[in-house]
Amino acid sequence: MSSGKILVTGATGQLGTRIVQQLLKRLPADRIVAGGRSAAKAPPGVEFKVVDYDQPATIEAALDGVTRVVLVSGNAVGKRVPQHQAVIDAAARAGVQLLAYTSILRANVNPLLLAAEHRATEEVLAASGLSFIALRNSWYSENYTGSAAFAIQAGVVQSAAGEGRISAASRDDYAEAAAVLILRDDHKPGQAYELAGSTSFSKREYAELLSRKSGKQVVVQELTESQYSAALVHAGLPEAFAGILADSDAKAGDGWLFDDSRTLEKAIGRPTIPLEQTLDAALAAK
Ligand SMILES: NC(=O)c1ccc[n+]([C@@H]2O[C@H](COP(=O)([O-])OP(=O)(O)OC[C@H]3O[C@@H](n4cnc5c(N)ncnc54)[C@H](OP(=O)(O)O)[C@@H]3O)[C@@H](O)[C@H]2O)c1
């Protein structure tokens, strides 16, 4: 990448902050713009500009001098296609040379409920005329390790995923790949990168890992999708969100979060961080 700035949207979130940190290792700080809704949460060391997906004028203003964009998908499930479209439209108008969008594994065919908005966003990108790449991220390891202490205390990992294998990687891995790929110039038009962990695990193996780490027995409780959804509601999740998570777990059981292409490993030039290491960090932080 020869000139111009890179804007990272969602830069106040967990993935976006890490993408900014990874870009700082590769580019002068004055070539990086962190975009987000709240300056108070801005990552340090780079310029911050307000980027609110619901306020197109903020997006347009933040694109001044920007030639590449990492569009981190938002977290307002159900509202994301128009939000992402606002960024894509503004980037096309501003003449952005490359946009990378954080999508989901095999977004074009993935039946997870959560995949629909990613698929629709990729379709908006394809119709936009922009040069773009899809960073089709698998699950974060942190989706599991974030509740590891609770699972150890309960002695149970609830699952609707059966023996399905999940190729999770850490946010640090996906962030590094985003930084590497947005800086490359050798993409095919609309290229999709299926980004996933170098290794995979089933939820039974995850429970075994929790047992080994804690010295306490942790077992898998096999549930149907509707039983798992009900259990999540019982644990305090809103019904709609519980349904989405149960759907994802059941479809992970059918292999939709598995990928052994090692595309992520090739992009970052090292194997992804092992689940056990991410777990150690999560347990140490408690
Ligand atoms: N692969 C996976 O396992 C997985 C898991 C969960 C989510 N995801 C997806 O990956 C994305 C990044 O993950 P994450 O862990 O970084 O999530 P996160 O910490 O929740 O970050 C989401 C980011 O989206 C921003 N955002 C939400 N609504 C916005 C709006 N209207 N305008 C501008 N920014 C907005 C948030 O801004 P604020 O800081 O202002 O709230 C935040 O920076 C998520 O948003 C979601 O699409 C993937």
Side-chain angles (χ1 to χ4, degrees), residues 135-285:
L135 309 175
R136 290 182 172 171
N137 294 345
S138 179
W139 248 210
Y140 303 147
S141 303
E142 291 88 343
N143 295 350
Y144 301 96
T145 61
S147 56
F150 177 76
I152 289 167
Q153 194 191 6
V156 170
V157 170
Q158 293 180 316
S159 173
E163 287 299 314
R165 302 196 71 76
I166 298 154
S167 306
S170 77
R171 285 190 182 89
D172 285 328
D173 297 313
Y174 295 114
E176 189 166 347
V180 166
L181 291 170
I182 192 64
L183 289 171
R184 268 174 38 186
D185 291 316
D186 59 347
H187 308 290
K188 297 190 190 106
Q191 191 164 353
Y193 291 89
E194 307 290 350
L195 302 173
S198 300
T199 56
S200 63
F201 57 89
S202 67
K203 288 183 90 173
R204 180 180 48 74
E205 289 168 354
Y206 176 58
E208 286 165 6
L209 177 64
L210 293 181
S211 298
R212 202 164 68 244
K213 286 304 218 186
S214 65
K216 277 189 64 182
Q217 193 186 22
V218 182
V219 298
V220 167
Q221 184 183 14
E222 300 282 358
L223 301 171
T224 64
E225 180 181 333
S226 58
Q227 285 170 333
Y228 187 42
S229 179
L232 292 171
V233 170
H234 184 71
L237 264 65
E239 205 165 319
F241 190 47
I244 285 172
L245 291 187
D247 168 82
S248 297
D249 211 48
K251 287 177 180 142
D254 297 330
W256 286 101
L257 293 173
F258 175 79
D259 175 86
D260 60 1
S261 67
R262 298 204 173 218
T263 308
L264 174 50
E265 178 174 322
K266 285 171 207 154
I268 61 181
R270 59 167 175 80
T272 58
I273 297 165
L275 176 68
E276 183 166 354
Q277 194 174 320
T278 307
L279 176 62
D280 285 343
L283 294 176

Side-chain angles (χ1 to χ4, degrees), residues 12-15 37 41 53 73-75 138 140 143 171:
T12 52
Q14 300 168 88
L15 182 68
R37 291 183 292 188
K41 295 202 288 176
Y53 301 155
S73 50
N75 53 11
S138 179
Y140 303 147
N143 295 350
R171 285 190 182 89

